[in-house]
Coordinates of all heavy atoms in Angstrom, one line a residue:
S47 N -7.3 -4.5 12.0 CA -5.9 -4.6 12.0 C -5.4 -6.0 12.2 O -4.4 -6.5 11.6 CB -5.3 -3.7 13.1 OG -5.5 -2.3 12.7
Y50 N -5.5 -7.7 8.9 CA -4.5 -7.3 8.0 C -3.1 -7.9 8.4 O -2.4 -8.4 7.5 CB -4.4 -5.7 8.0 CG -5.5 -5.0 7.4 CD1 -6.0 -3.8 7.9 CD2 -6.1 -5.5 6.2 CE1 -7.1 -3.1 7.3 CE2 -7.1 -4.8 5.6 CZ -7.6 -3.6 6.2 OH -8.7 -3.0 5.6
K54 N -0.7 -10.4 6.3 CA 0.7 -10.1 5.9 C 1.6 -11.2 6.4 O 2.5 -11.6 5.6 CB 1.1 -8.7 6.6 CG 0.4 -7.5 5.9 CD 0.6 -6.3 6.7 CE -0.3 -5.1 6.1 NZ -0.3 -3.9 6.9
L96 N 7.2 -2.9 10.2 CA 5.9 -2.3 9.9 C 5.1 -2.1 11.2 O 4.9 -3.1 12.0 CB 5.2 -3.4 9.0 CG 3.7 -3.1 8.6 CD1 3.5 -3.7 7.2 CD2 2.7 -3.7 9.5
V97 N 4.6 -0.9 11.4 CA 3.8 -0.7 12.6 C 2.4 -0.5 12.0 O 2.1 0.4 11.3 CB 4.2 0.6 13.3 CG1 3.2 0.9 14.5 CG2 5.6 0.5 13.9
Q98 N 1.5 -1.5 12.4 CA 0.1 -1.5 11.8 C -0.6 -0.2 12.3 O -0.6 0.0 13.5 CB -0.6 -2.8 12.2 CG -1.9 -2.9 11.6 CD -1.9 -3.0 10.1 OE1 -1.0 -3.5 9.5 NE2 -2.9 -2.5 9.4
L99 N -1.3 0.5 11.4 CA -2.1 1.6 11.8 C -3.5 1.3 11.7 O -3.9 0.4 10.9 CB -1.7 2.8 10.8 CG -0.3 3.2 10.8 CD1 -0.1 4.3 9.7 CD2 0.2 3.8 12.1
P100 N -4.4 1.9 12.4 CA -4.2 3.0 13.3 C -3.7 2.5 14.6 O -4.0 1.4 15.0 CB -5.6 3.6 13.4 CG -6.5 2.5 13.2 CD -5.9 1.6 12.2
L111 N 6.3 6.6 13.6 CA 6.7 6.2 12.2 C 8.1 6.9 11.9 O 8.9 6.3 11.2 CB 5.7 6.6 11.2 CG 4.3 5.9 11.4 CD1 3.3 6.4 10.4 CD2 4.5 4.4 11.3
D121 N 7.0 0.2 4.7 CA 5.7 0.9 4.4 C 6.0 2.2 3.6 O 5.1 2.8 3.1 CB 5.0 1.2 5.7 CG 3.9 0.3 6.1 OD1 3.3 -0.3 5.2 OD2 3.6 0.2 7.3
F123 N 6.6 5.2 4.8 CA 5.9 6.3 5.5 C 6.9 7.4 6.0 O 6.5 8.4 6.4 CB 5.0 5.8 6.6 CG 3.9 4.9 6.2 CD1 3.2 4.2 7.1 CD2 3.4 4.9 4.9 CE1 2.1 3.4 6.8 CE2 2.3 4.1 4.5 CZ 1.7 3.4 5.5
C141 N 3.1 0.9 -0.3 CA 2.6 -0.4 -0.9 C 1.3 -0.2 -1.7 O 1.2 -0.8 -2.8 CB 2.4 -1.4 0.2 SG 3.9 -1.7 1.2
T142 N 0.4 0.5 -1.2 CA -0.9 0.6 -1.9 C -0.7 1.4 -3.2 O -1.1 0.9 -4.3 CB -2.0 1.2 -1.0 OG1 -2.2 0.4 0.1 CG2 -3.3 1.3 -1.8
I170 N -0.9 8.2 3.2 CA -0.6 6.8 2.8 C -1.0 6.5 1.4 O -0.3 5.7 0.7 CB -1.5 5.9 3.8 CG1 -1.0 6.0 5.2 CG2 -1.4 4.4 3.4 CD1 -1.7 5.1 6.2
T268 N -1.5 -4.6 -2.2 CA -0.8 -3.9 -1.1 C 0.1 -4.9 -0.4 O 1.3 -4.6 -0.2 CB -1.8 -3.3 -0.1 OG1 -2.6 -2.4 -0.8 CG2 -1.1 -2.6 1.0
Ligands
GUN1 N1 -3.3 0.5 8.0 C1 -4.0 0.6 6.8 N2 -3.2 0.5 5.8 C2 -1.9 0.3 6.3 C3 -0.7 0.1 5.6 O1 -0.5 0.1 4.4 N3 0.4 0.0 6.5 C4 0.3 0.0 7.8 N4 1.3 -0.1 8.6 N5 -0.9 0.2 8.4 C5 -2.0 0.3 7.6

Side-chain angles (χ1 to χ4, degrees):
S47 292
Y50 288 141
K54 287 170 188 176
L96 177 148
V97 176
Q98 185 64 32
L99 300 176
L111 297 178
D121 258 330
F123 293 164
C141 303
T142 300
I170 295 182
T268 300

